[in-house]
Each structure stands twice: as C-alpha cells, then as structure tokens.
Amino acid sequence: MSKKLKNGLLKVTFSHILANGTNSCWFKFKEASLQYLCYYWRSKEAFRYLKIYQKLDDGSCGPKIGYITRDKAELNF
C-alpha cells in the first residue's frame, strides 16, 4: 500500500519556459500518494522532475520530503 502524503507543496520543473517566465511552478495538494503523483506527472510530455515539500501551518514551504524524476521517485521521511 502506498503511503498518503498530506498538505504538501510541489515544485514542478518542465523542459520549456512557462507563461510565468520560468520553467517551474508551484502546486499545493491536500492528499496524494507517491504512486499517483508519479503516474500523473510522468505522463506529461514536458515534465522533467518535481520536488515534494512539507507545507507548514502558516502556508509557507517547509523541508523537502521527496522528489520524482522520469526514472526514480523517493520519499525522505
């Protein structure tokens, strides 16, 4: 069974420049599994990698707890 991640932030990096002028953007999530995040983001053609961060109570970005690339995914907690 895949462990559920709760209240986190994702910094997703793409292989092209986005409308915001960079090649990355931030997303927040309430609940997701590492398996689902891998399935969803790896299906995107321009996806390069993402970093998973803990979301602090004040809404800011906490420590990095994992990452996903095209070939590997890992949680560090």
Side-chain angles (χ1 to χ4, degrees), residues 26-42:
W26 290 87
F27 295 94
K28 58 184 174 181
F29 64 91
K30 290 189 179 200
E31 184 175 342
S33 67
L34 185 63
Q35 179 182 3
Y36 175 77
L37 291 172
C38 287
Y39 170 78
Y40 181 82
W41 287 106
R42 286 177 177 167

Side-chain angles (χ1 to χ4, degrees), residues 10-22:
L10 302 175
K11 183 174 183 185
V12 184
T13 302
F14 298 94
S15 60
H16 63 277
I17 302 298
L18 303 172
N20 66 5
T22 68

Side-chain angles (χ1 to χ4, degrees), residues 30-62:
K30 290 189 179 200
E31 184 175 342
S33 67
L34 185 63
Q35 179 182 3
Y36 175 77
L37 291 172
C38 287
Y39 170 78
Y40 181 82
W41 287 106
R42 286 177 177 167
S43 69
K44 307 298 181 196
E45 186 176 320
F47 171 78
R48 289 186 62 199
Y49 63 90
L50 70 80
K51 296 177 184 177
I52 306 166
Y53 294 91
Q54 180 181 7
K55 183 177 168 187
L56 301 178
D57 292 337
D58 64 0
S60 63
C61 183

